[in-house]
Amino acid sequence: MRFIDASCAIGYRTVNYEIVNHERFYVQERVKQARDGRELIEELDFCGIDQAVISHNAMIDVDPGYGNKLAAAEAAGSGDRLLPSWAIAPPVTEPEYAPSALFPAMQAAGVKLLRAYPARNRYMLGRVAMDPLLGEISSLRIPLYLSPSEGWEPIYQVLQEYPDLTVILTNYGLWSHARLTFPLLRAYPNFYIETGDMQTAGEIREICRLFGPERLLFGSGFPSNAIGGPLAALRGSGISEEAMSAIASGNLLRLLGEVVL
Amino acid sequence: MSRTGIPEMANRSRLAQEFMELGRLESLPIIDMHTHMGPFYGTYLPEAPLPRMLAEMERENIDWIVSAPHSALFDPIAGNREIVAAMADHPKKIYGYYTVNPHYSDRINEDLAEYDAIDNYVGFKLLPDYHKYPLTGDRFTPIYEFANERGLLLLSHTWGHSRYNPPGMIAELAVKYPNIRFLMGHSAPGETDYAIEVAASLPNVYLELCDTGRLNGLIAKMVREASSEKVVFGTDFPWYDPHYMLGSVLFSGIDDREISNIVHDNAAALVGGVLQRKAKRG
């Protein structure tokens, strides 16, 4: 079976490492990080993972644009093992994030996935701050990674404003999130969950039963999580081989194929 | 996406390869030393009812568990009734911790008088961060004396830099009560380096994996610095899927002997020792 990890970070955090337990509750704990793409590929090879979507920790700790350049460079030097994702910021302050500048740059760098850290970068993830970028991201079917680590309200609000936006939930902590995510899965057909923090017993089966396997993307959240945990949770989940294969890589490949750039 | 070749897994662990082939570990049953039972206020747990837990244990080849139900942790009136009933109904699958709520210690002597008569109790469970009472508080002294006399297990929630259950308090108690086997629940997230140091230096202190075992590189560090004999498998099940933590162990880079110690052998030895001592007391 082909596995593509939908969420890995490379580079060192300023403080090693901020672990999300659940929303607004972090633990500071040292983990084994991947300094660069080469070290991450060693981790992928150890676990038999074909490819990985990467972010760079400098997106969070230095600046989105600074980290974006590093992520693109690491991906470019990896063959096609690493798929870069970029962080966004408000175009009203940084014009390089206006659609007319951002999308050609993404195309040139082979970037098809975006991320937003609104609390960290101190902006509001909504129409007032992010128009027209979010509308364009939605209409071009570019997946946007969001984390509820600073609370669920921004995710609920942005989906109310942009109900067709493709959102991939990531880094949500290990407490079960079902009371917060099941309503989103029910209301928004383009809402997906990356499975790195999906540790709750029976949850993969439950989501497949209620919403279908097409709503989950295998991911690890490396290095917050060792890849082996989410890998075994999916492999040992008891769902059908077909559903497992879709989660392992098929769903992500489908989403990437739908991006219009 | 142009890739067609799928890389072969470089992890040479026979157990990891077996798991990836079968979707479960058939050659090595799991023993989970940190479990609960029933629903919990803060989260939805699909596998919370006991019949679903038992079915999941069968599916994942979990030999047996040691449990402290949420009712025992949070309903002072119900106390330990649920675990006593579960152990009576499933004596080969469920062992129990006697849960102590220090705010209702007035009936502790009556309860301790009954403890020895219940076969599948193997020790005590404390939850100081949630009960807002420190591990080193006087109300726990009768428990420690009782457990020390019998050589019981004591699973306590631990958390780094906590005012109620930091690893330093476990170290203090482990020296004072050398016959108790202390299991550090979660291995003190935020202060795991200190927890590992305590487990490495004190013969009666063990690291338990629930929560922290998922962090990249941590299991390998525990084994390297405290040895695989001092790490026990635990998951908070039915909170967390034992397969998730099993994967964290199988892909941690340790060898199959060390994996066996963590997933099964250490727990079998710890609980087996308690039961042997209990049998000797009559």
Side-chain angles (χ1 to χ4, degrees):
Chain A
M1 186 172 298
R2 180 182 182 186
F3 287 90
I4 303 178
D5 190 325
S7 189
C8 290
I10 57 175
Y12 290 168
R13 292 295 308 264
T14 306
V15 177
N16 176 14
Y17 204 91
E18 193 171 65
I19 310 291
V20 177
N21 187 283
H22 56 285
E23 61 279 2
R24 301 190 184 89
F25 181 40
Y26 295 93
V27 173
Q28 218 61 63
E29 193 57 82
R30 280 192 282 174
V31 299
K32 182 185 172 197
Q33 304 175 94
R35 180 186 179 90
D36 51 28
R38 185 186 58 78
E39 288 190 4
L40 176 60
I41 289 170
E42 285 176 10
E43 299 270 357
L44 300 177
D45 288 344
F46 187 72
C47 297
I49 307 296
D50 192 17
Q51 294 175 287
V53 176
I54 59 163
S55 60
H56 197 289
N57 278 323
M59 291 174 184
I60 302 172
D61 282 341
V62 182
D63 169 70
Y66 181 98
N68 290 348
K69 289 189 185 109
L70 294 175
E74 293 290 352
S78 74
D80 57 0
R81 298 291 302 276
L82 305 180
L83 312 174
S85 64
W86 275 0
I88 58 172
V92 68
T93 50
E94 285 107 316
E96 62 267 35
Y97 297 102
S100 58
L102 178 65
F103 297 149
M106 289 173 64
Q107 197 165 20
V111 177
K112 291 186 168 184
L113 304 119
L114 293 170
R115 326 178 78 89
Y117 305 99
R120 178 73 172 174
N121 295 141
R122 297 181 64 238
Y123 65 86
M124 303 299 284
L125 188 69
R127 198 176 299 279
V128 171
M130 300 300 281
D131 217 25
L133 179 59
L134 283 178
E136 293 280 328
I137 289 172
S138 178
S139 64
L140 298 180
R141 307 296 301 270
I142 299 169
L144 181 67
Y145 284 86
L146 295 174
S147 166
S149 57
E150 296 292 341
W152 290 84
E153 296 83 357
I155 295 173
Y156 270 71
Q157 286 163 7
V158 77
L159 281 166
Q160 278 186 320
E161 286 193 318
Y162 300 95
D164 296 325
L165 185 66
T166 301
V167 168
I168 301 175
L169 190 79
T170 188
N171 198 29
Y172 39 87
L174 76 171
W175 279 45
S176 169
H177 46 77
R179 291 172 182 156
L180 295 152
T181 53
F182 284 15
L184 296 172
L185 286 165
R186 184 180 61 181
Y188 302 107
N190 298 325
F191 177 78
Y192 298 85
I193 307 176
E194 170 265 296
T195 63
D197 284 348
M198 194 167 287
Q199 198 171 161
T200 301
E203 197 158 67
I204 291 175
R205 275 198 311 278
E206 184 95 335
I207 290 175
C208 288
R209 182 177 66 81
L210 293 172
F211 306 104
E214 61 272 18
R215 309 300 291 278
L216 297 177
L217 309 174
F218 166 70
S220 65
F222 174 93
S224 274
N225 302 314
I227 296 171
L231 179 63
L234 176 59
R235 180 65 189 92
S237 62
I239 60 175
S240 70
E241 288 284 318
E242 185 184 6
M244 200 178 296
S245 177
I247 297 170
S249 58
N251 295 338
L252 180 66
L253 292 172
R254 189 189 72 246
L255 289 183
L256 290 172
E258 290 171 357
V259 174
V260 182
L261 270 176
Chain B
M1 299 303 104
S2 60
R3 289 189 64 82
T4 52
I6 299 173
E8 188 186 352
M9 183 171 89
N11 184 357
R12 304 325 301 167
S13 159
R14 182 185 57 76
L15 294 169
Q17 291 173 351
E18 177 193 331
F19 182 89
M20 289 307 289
E21 186 181 332
L22 303 176
R24 64 185 238 140
L25 206 49
E26 290 189 355
S27 66
L28 180 68
I30 299 168
I31 299 173
D32 193 329
M33 294 294 286
H34 184 170
T35 74
H36 302 294
M37 194 178 294
F40 174 71
Y41 64 82
T43 190
Y44 166 63
L45 304 173
E47 307 296 341
L50 180 56
R52 291 190 64 158
M53 287 179 66
L54 290 164
E56 195 72 342
M57 287 167 64
E58 180 70 24
R59 198 181 67 76
E60 297 195 0
N61 196 19
I62 300 170
D63 206 4
W64 41 270
I65 61 174
V66 189
S67 187
H70 293 117
S71 58
L73 293 166
F74 298 110
D75 179 0
I77 294 173
N80 289 284
R81 286 199 296 254
E82 188 176 357
I83 188 62
V84 171
M87 292 190 296
D89 291 344
H90 307 281
K92 293 187 175 170
K93 303 301 287 182
I94 299 174
Y95 291 86
Y97 296 111
Y98 178 104
T99 300
V100 180
N101 181 335
H103 299 292
Y104 297 88
S105 54
D106 49 324
R107 67 181 190 198
I108 189 71
N109 289 334
E110 293 167 43
D111 287 341
L112 289 181
E114 293 176 7
Y115 179 100
D116 288 328
I118 296 172
D119 288 340
N120 280 26
Y121 271 142
V122 295
F124 292 93
K125 163 71 180 176
L126 305 181
L127 194 59
D129 262 345
Y130 287 74
H131 290 154
K132 308 295 181 200
Y133 186 81
L135 264 175
T136 47
D138 291 342
R139 291 178 203 166
F140 288 134
T141 301
I143 299 298
Y144 297 140
E145 289 175 347
F146 184 94
N148 193 56
E149 189 184 333
R150 288 160 177 77
L152 302 179
L153 309 184
L154 192 142
L155 170 64
S156 177
H157 181 85
T158 60
W159 213 262
H161 310 292
S162 161
R163 61 190 287 198
Y164 299 110
N165 41 227
M169 284 187 184
I170 293 285
E172 182 184 334
L173 291 166
V175 170
K176 192 171 179 184
Y177 300 104
N179 294 327
I180 299 176
R181 277 69 170 172
F182 288 88
L183 312 184
M184 288 193 282
H186 312 292
S187 298
E191 222 177 344
T192 57
D193 282 351
Y194 186 22
I196 292 169
E197 188 183 319
V198 170
S201 60
L202 294 171
N204 56 333
V205 177
Y206 295 79
L207 299 156
E208 184 273 316
L209 288 181
C210 178
D211 195 340
T212 46
R214 72 180 171 126
L215 308 180
N216 192 49
L218 202 62
I219 290 174
K221 186 199 279 186
M222 287 174 170
V223 169
R224 192 169 60 244
E225 296 180 13
S227 88
S228 65
E229 287 83 1
K230 299 303 288 291
V231 182
V232 296
F233 189 87
T235 68
D236 265 345
F237 179 60
W239 282 61
Y240 305 128
D241 178 3
H243 270 172
Y244 189 110
M245 189 55 68
L246 179 63
S248 302
V249 178
L250 292 174
F251 286 87
S252 64
I254 61 177
D255 67 36
D256 280 351
R257 181 67 249 156
E258 293 165 330
I259 291 171
S260 298
N261 282 340
I262 294 172
V263 170
H264 178 275
D265 298 355
N266 295 338
L270 282 166
V271 171
V274 170
L275 297 176
Q276 277 180 359
R277 288 186 286 277
K278 197 172 199 172
K280 276 186 191 168
R281 284 178 67 93

